[in-house]
Amino acid sequence: MAPHGKELSEDLKKRSVAPHKDGLGYKKPASTLKLSCSTVARTIQQSNRTGSTQNRPRHGPPKKLYAHTQCHIQRSSFENRRKSAANIAAESVMVWDCMSAVGTCGDPQNIEGTMNANMYCDILKQSMIPSLQKLGRKAIFLHDNVPKHTRRTGQACLQT
């Protein structure tokens, strides 16, 4: 018996379907190929339904990383080649973005290092104002009460 959950090779699928086309049932090919009857039956049903033994392409969920975030992770891996992919993926990547009812309306900004109030003001000037202009209507700017947002520098930046 093949282990549960492993995908069958294309050759094995074709060898399990061929005897059925010659008039044999499920049991003979299953015992010959050391597969379960249900696996052979499922493969034959897929072949009858689609005309092929190949798996359909899987689209999967949408990508969670923007292209520039993926570039950031690749750059990190080139800088320190001893890091594993899991360690690089586990690194926190801070991103600022503008969202509205119609979706994102700005260009996401990667934030390298520790963010302070001055860096926050720079992001607001470079990204938030163009994003609000892009919306072209009345908008409400919301932020959480993180100290760098509520400091005088951040507040003064919002006033201008």
Side-chain angles (χ1 to χ4, degrees):
M1 294 263 189
H4 179 71
K6 278 210 166 179
E7 194 170 304
L8 297 178
S9 69
E10 202 58 39
D11 178 54
L12 196 56
K13 288 180 190 179
K14 286 179 182 174
R15 288 193 294 155
S16 66
V17 171
H20 183 71
K21 288 183 179 177
D22 295 338
L24 293 175
Y26 299 108
K27 289 185 181 182
K28 185 76 173 166
S31 63
T32 307
L33 299 171
K34 296 182 180 168
L35 298 170
S36 69
C37 286
S38 62
T39 301
V40 173
R42 195 170 40 254
T43 305
I44 291 169
Q45 289 168 357
Q46 177 189 1
S47 174
N48 291 340
R49 189 175 53 248
T50 63
S52 171
T53 56
Q54 292 182 340
N55 287 335
R56 288 178 281 166
R58 297 181 185 135
H59 298 291
K63 293 192 176 205
K64 297 194 184 253
L65 295 177
Y66 289 106
H68 65 275
T69 306
Q70 194 166 358
C71 287
H72 171 74
I73 292 172
Q74 287 173 342
R75 199 174 335 113
S76 296
S77 69
F78 288 130
E79 289 170 2
N80 189 349
R81 292 184 181 268
R82 291 182 185 219
K83 283 186 180 179
S84 68
N87 288 344
I88 291 169
E91 284 181 355
S92 64
V93 177
M94 194 181 322
V95 179
W96 183 94
D97 200 359
C98 176
M99 293 169 277
S100 72
V102 294
T104 59
C105 56
D107 293 327
Q109 299 289 316
N110 274 340
I111 300 163
E112 307 254 348
T114 305
M115 183 194 271
N116 57 24
N118 293 331
M119 191 184 296
Y120 179 65
C121 279
D122 291 341
I123 290 172
L124 292 180
K125 289 175 187 171
Q126 293 170 5
S127 299
M128 187 196 66
I129 294 169
S131 298
L132 290 176
Q133 290 170 346
K134 196 184 230 182
L135 282 173
R137 56 181 161 189
K138 198 176 216 181
I140 300 171
F141 176 69
L142 297 173
H143 63 84
D144 49 6
N145 286 323
V146 175
K148 64 183 125 276
H149 298 170
T150 56
R151 290 215 173 101
R152 279 188 226 146
T153 312
Q155 292 297 316
C157 188
L158 289 172
Q159 298 297 324
T160 57

